[in-house]
Structures are given as structure tokens and as C-alpha cells.
Amino acid sequence: MNTNNQPIFRLEEGINNTHLQYFHQHGIIQFKNFLDKHTLAHIHTEVAQVQDFLLRNQVQKVNGIPLKFGTDINGAPLIQRIAFASHFSNALRELLKDQRLQSLIALLGPYSGRIGENEKDGLVINHYVNTAASQFKQLGWHTDSPRDLFLGSRILPMLNVGIHLDDCPLDNGGLRVLPGTHEQGLFKLLFRKKYFIDNNPDKKEVGFDIEAGDLTVHDGRLWHRVQQSPYTGEKSRRRVMYIPIITGDYQPKTANSPTPFYHKLAQFKQHLYGGKPQWANVTAHGDKLAEVNTPSL
């Protein structure tokens, strides 16, 4: 697997044997043009409406998961990480029913699986942009597995599906992975890197040339990070929607769900370095707010 010579896959009729073989070897796969330009424009509008709704209603948490706040390039308030976003948009909820997304469950084999719309952090919208007040410019090395330990369960396979809403060529930062590390032992899964602290490039890492509308899938046990854009302002903007595909017992989150410990640590760090916005002081009930009338795809 080479950064500059990756095969081009398309998810036209769902997962096939070629996709399965490639994913099982590398733990990551990229599909081109999952969303066409018309659908992509509609999703951009939906994402903006979800953010406006949350800001207008002074929401700080959704189902126990804190939102991350920052400032956009024009000085306007910006939510840089939204959890359970499909609870606030009929269009995003319908997107999760796309049969092509459902077909990705096969990548979990031999485990059965499901799209975790109401579990983990649900449909997450990450919004990276470099401004003086940005709290979310990069994400250090990590795997997605230890959260199971924090929640008191054993580590189970999972998939993290990314739908990319902006162009992000390799030289603009973005996703970096260590291919094949999804098959590492438990010790390396837990201690190969310093979780979220280590942002250093790895000589074995692979990056991606991503276009708006592309889709990536990585095994949750794979070491990965998000590299900061070398640019500031609009050129640094990268928006990605992440969807968990999970196995094991059904464990939905509700408005009464506690905030996981690892999110409390992140909140403490944000408080130290930037504090929280004045509008972020109300806890939302995700199920109730999902009743907002939004357009459907």
C-alpha cells in the first residue's frame, strides 16, 4: 500500500470480494465519489442547519457526549465536533439507510454488525479549521478500541466510516494510518503510541488524496491520526462525517447517559486552553430535539 499508488475503488453495488481482500490486508479502504455533487451540496446545507439549531438552542451535550466549540474564520461561533448529528436531521438519518453503507457491514465478518446511529457517539461531524481560536486542528495517534475498556466491556471489532465533505489532498493534512496494525497484539494496540498526545509523523504511515464525496473505512483497531493542515483560514477547512459500524450487545445512548471519562479529559483540556463558549450551557435531550422539522433526501 503506497500513498501515491493506491487502487481506486467505487462502492456502486456494495462490497465485493476484491474490497474484502484489500480491507482485511490493510485495515483501511477508500471509495471514490460515494456522494455526487448534488447530494453533497444538500448534505452541506443539512450540516449547517444542524449546527445552527444546536447553537441557537445553547446545546452543550447530546446524550452525554460534549460538543467541541471553536471560532470560524469570520469570528462566528463554530461547533467543531457534533455527536449524534442524525438526531437533528431527517436527511442525515435517511443517508444512514443507504444500502451501500449497509453493505459495509460485511467488512466486519465473521462478526455480525449494525450502523450505530444511537450508540457510541452516533453520527459524528468533525470540522477542522485553522484559526487563532480553533480548538480542533488535528488529532493525535490513537485507535478506536480502548473506549470499549473505558465503558467496561471487552474490545470488539468495529468500523469507522468517514464521509468526506471537502477536498483534502495529501499536502493539506488529513487522515494518516499505519496499514496492517489492525492485526497487532493487545500490547501494541494499547501502548504502541501515546494516545492523542503523539502527533509525530511515522515513517510507515500512509496518507490519502481525498476529494469531497469520497468515503473511507478503517478498522477501529488500526492506528491512525489526523494531521494538521499547513494552511490557515478557508484553505484549511476539512469536514468529515464519521459513522460507527459495531457488533456486540445493543447499547443505545440517551439523554441520561453519563459523559464517558475520556470525553471529560478532553473537556478539561479545552477549558485549560480556551474555555467554553457562553452559549454552551444547556444539555440537550437528543430524542426530543430530533423532532425538529428538517428536509429529507
Side-chain angles (χ1 to χ4, degrees):
M1 185 181 189
N2 184 281
T3 299
N4 298 316
N5 189 30
Q6 294 169 16
I8 294 177
F9 296 112
R10 299 184 187 277
L11 194 62
E12 294 174 346
E13 298 182 0
I15 292 295
N16 59 38
N17 286 334
T18 301
H19 302 150
L20 285 170
Q21 292 173 6
Y22 186 88
F23 183 80
H24 288 157
Q25 179 181 356
H26 300 292
I28 178 95
I29 190 168
Q30 178 182 1
F31 295 100
K32 301 297 295 181
N33 304 124
F34 174 74
L35 296 182
D36 59 36
K37 291 183 178 180
H38 174 75
T39 305
L40 185 64
H42 186 48
I43 295 300
H44 278 174
T45 299
E46 288 293 312
V47 168
Q49 289 179 351
V50 169
Q51 174 177 271
D52 290 345
F53 178 85
L54 295 171
L55 290 173
R56 189 169 63 251
N57 287 275
Q58 300 183 327
V59 175
Q60 181 185 1
K61 294 182 181 180
V62 181
N63 294 339
I65 306 302
L67 307 182
K68 287 183 181 290
F69 294 91
T71 304
D72 211 335
I73 58 175
N74 60 358
L78 174 70
I79 306 180
Q80 299 201 262
R81 188 179 193 272
I82 300 173
F84 296 102
S86 65
H87 286 211
F88 309 101
S89 166
N90 292 333
L92 296 183
R93 185 179 294 111
E94 288 301 312
L95 177 63
L96 298 185
K97 298 176 183 178
D98 189 307
Q99 288 304 307
R100 294 173 299 167
L101 288 180
Q102 296 290 331
S103 78
L104 296 173
I105 294 172
L107 296 174
L108 265 183
Y111 291 86
S112 60
R114 61 191 176 274
I115 291 178
E117 181 178 8
N118 304 312
E119 301 173 85
K120 303 289 187 180
D121 293 0
L123 171 60
V124 169
I125 300 172
N126 284 339
H127 193 155
Y128 298 92
V129 65
N130 288 353
T131 68
S134 175
Q135 299 291 323
F136 206 38
K137 301 178 182 179
Q138 61 184 352
L139 195 59
W141 285 108
H142 64 286
T143 74
D144 301 317
S145 298
R147 71 175 64 185
D148 289 336
L149 300 179
F150 278 114
L151 296 175
S153 62
R154 64 189 179 94
I155 293 175
L156 291 172
M158 68 162 290
L159 308 175
N160 223 329
V161 180
I163 301 177
H164 299 262
L165 305 183
D166 296 288
D167 292 339
C168 185
L170 181 66
D171 62 4
N172 195 22
L175 183 64
R176 301 289 188 267
V177 306
L178 293 180
T181 53
H182 62 303
E183 296 184 342
Q184 66 198 326
L186 181 61
F187 182 83
K188 287 188 175 181
L189 184 145
L190 295 175
F191 301 109
R192 183 176 189 138
K193 303 277 188 183
K194 294 180 180 179
Y195 269 80
F196 299 108
I197 297 174
D198 184 356
N199 291 292
N200 296 319
D202 189 294
K203 63 181 180 180
K204 295 182 179 180
E205 73 178 28
V206 168
F208 301 86
D209 281 318
I210 290 173
E211 295 178 298
D214 286 359
L215 180 145
T216 57
V217 187
H218 70 259
D219 188 301
R221 297 164 293 185
L222 191 80
W223 278 99
H224 58 285
R225 70 184 180 97
V226 177
Q227 180 166 303
Q228 181 173 334
S229 171
Y231 307 108
T232 58
E234 189 60 38
K235 195 172 182 179
S236 71
R237 192 181 305 278
R238 303 192 308 274
R239 290 163 290 185
V240 187
M241 299 194 301
Y242 277 107
I243 307 157
I245 295 181
I246 56 182
T247 189
D249 295 337
Y250 181 57
Q251 297 179 318
K253 296 284 184 65
T254 71
N256 297 320
S257 296
T259 299
F261 176 69
Y262 52 89
H263 278 297
K264 290 181 179 179
L265 288 178
Q267 278 186 301
F268 179 69
K269 179 181 177 182
Q270 183 174 14
H271 177 73
L272 283 179
Y273 293 101
K276 68 179 182 180
Q278 295 178 356
W279 62 86
N281 57 10
V282 178
T283 299
H285 188 306
D287 295 334
K288 180 178 180 181
L289 293 181
E291 296 173 1
V292 62
N293 185 22
T294 53
S296 299
L297 284 171

